[in-house]
Amino acid sequence: TNPLLSFLPSYPTMPSIFSYQSSEIDWCENNFVRSPVIAEYYNTISNVCFFILSVALLHLNRQYCQQRTVPMYFISGLLFCVGIFSMYFHMTLSYVGQLLDELSILWTLAVAYSFWYPKAHFPRCIKSRKQFYWLGGVTAVITTLMSFIKPSINAYALNCIAFHLLYMTWSELKKCDDIRVHRMAKAMVLWWVLAITSWLSDRWLCWLCQAINFPYFHSFWHVLIAVSLLYCFPLVMYFDVTYEMPAFKPKLGYWPSDSWPIVVPYIALEEPHKQC
């Protein structure tokens, strides 16, 4: 070795963005307890619920899917990606895993907004759905680039979008007199409140979770938000049929049966109205 190099200042090597625990976020669950290769075991396996959600949306809403094939398969595929990338992130706690997890959620929201945002609520400068696609795409690209600046705030920003969705739901429910739809919206909000409470508990009350030896609230978040989306998507579809498919009338159904205490809602389409 060159002795002159000993006089040069030494700098810490930057961890690889693909390395285990290179993310600046570490959730409350203790790392590498259940497996030597999975950092957060329960936070990882709980993402299976997104795979179930992806398939359930297509299967239960078959009639709607026949009329809106592209949006349904697109969203279903993105939800599958959310599950994969979230599994990868919680398995490795890597910087790349964190970005993939958050950006997959961002693009799922962007695509859902582009396909399903009601025309009645378009900004005045937007005259068509095609223009709204461009607006959604440009916004998603800009937000994607900005997310690299401070990744730790991405999760908070994404959760804030839920408040706009709640406002949209409230404004649409004021025009709807279907009791079943109102009941489904209340159930969706209840599941979302439980989900966000779990997320915040894991993030801000980790000391308490560790004290009671139950640091698993983030895995509950995965399950509860997936259940909330099981109610949210049929609600969105209901209003989409009302606005965009005048030849059909949306009908809310429950799987496996209306009489069961715990049910999953879906949208059925009544026969097209006869044209005079």
Side-chain angles (χ1 to χ4, degrees):
T1 6
N2 190 336
L4 293 176
L5 294 178
S6 61
F7 295 98
L8 296 176
S10 60
Y11 297 98
T13 54
M14 292 296 290
S16 167
I17 59 175
F18 291 94
S19 298
Y20 272 76
Q21 296 180 288
S22 56
S23 168
E24 56 187 15
I25 292 179
D26 191 355
W27 299 95
C28 194
E29 183 179 355
N30 296 323
N31 298 333
F32 303 107
V33 173
R34 298 279 177 176
S35 168
V37 294
I38 300 177
E40 297 174 342
Y41 184 80
Y42 290 107
N43 286 353
T44 300
I45 64 172
S46 58
N47 283 286
V48 170
C49 61
F50 289 104
F51 305 147
I52 298 172
L53 171 63
S54 175
V55 174
L57 285 176
L58 293 178
H59 177 70
L60 293 175
N61 301 282
R62 293 185 297 275
Q63 287 182 306
Y64 179 86
C65 189
Q66 291 173 357
Q67 304 298 320
R68 289 282 192 266
T69 305
V70 173
M72 286 297 288
Y73 277 96
F74 218 125
I75 293 295
S76 180
L78 286 170
L79 287 171
F80 203 85
C81 290
V82 168
I84 290 174
F85 292 143
S86 185
M87 281 185 113
Y88 173 65
F89 170 48
H90 290 290
M91 184 178 74
T92 63
L93 292 178
S94 65
Y95 178 80
V96 166
Q98 178 190 343
L99 287 177
L100 287 173
D101 178 23
E102 292 164 352
L103 292 179
S104 64
I105 298 171
L106 168 66
W107 280 92
T108 302
L109 288 169
V111 170
Y113 264 72
S114 297
F115 281 132
W116 286 322
Y117 195 78
K119 289 181 180 178
H121 297 278
F122 279 4
R124 291 183 180 179
C125 59
I126 302 297
K127 306 299 181 185
S128 66
R129 178 70 61 179
K130 185 177 181 180
Q131 289 181 349
F132 193 75
Y133 287 159
W134 278 103
L135 176 64
V138 170
T139 303
V141 169
I142 293 173
T143 308
T144 298
L145 297 175
M146 290 177 62
S147 67
F148 288 89
I149 299 173
K150 187 63 176 173
S152 59
I153 68 170
N154 294 346
Y156 295 97
L158 290 171
N159 275 312
C160 285
I161 296 175
F163 291 104
H164 182 254
L165 288 171
L166 291 174
Y167 167 75
M168 288 290 301
T169 302
W170 175 74
S171 61
E172 289 301 318
L173 286 175
K174 289 193 298 183
K175 311 172 191 175
C176 176
D177 56 2
D178 190 327
I179 297 175
R180 283 192 163 200
V181 175
H182 283 260
R183 191 182 305 152
M184 180 170 63
K186 289 176 182 177
M188 178 196 74
V189 172
L190 174 62
W191 286 111
W192 177 79
V193 169
L194 291 174
I196 199 66
T197 300
S198 297
W199 191 89
L200 291 172
S201 298
D202 191 275
R203 201 83 196 104
W204 295 105
L205 298 176
C206 183
W207 60 272
L208 179 59
C209 298
Q210 293 284 357
I212 63 175
N213 197 28
F214 195 82
Y216 308 117
F217 278 106
H218 193 77
S219 62
F220 277 63
W221 151 260
H222 290 152
V223 176
L224 292 169
I225 199 64
V227 174
S228 178
L229 290 173
L230 269 177
Y231 285 80
C232 179
F233 279 112
L235 191 63
V236 170
M237 295 172 202
Y238 182 94
F239 293 125
D240 182 58
V241 174
T242 302
Y243 278 111
E244 305 289 339
M245 302 166 63
F248 292 92
K249 184 179 179 181
K251 183 180 178 182
L252 182 61
Y254 294 117
W255 181 88
S257 169
D258 289 15
S259 59
W260 282 50
I262 300 177
V263 294
V264 178
Y266 65 91
I267 289 298
L269 303 180
E270 290 188 347
E271 290 296 320
H273 300 311
K274 293 183 179 180
Q275 302 295 323
C276 297

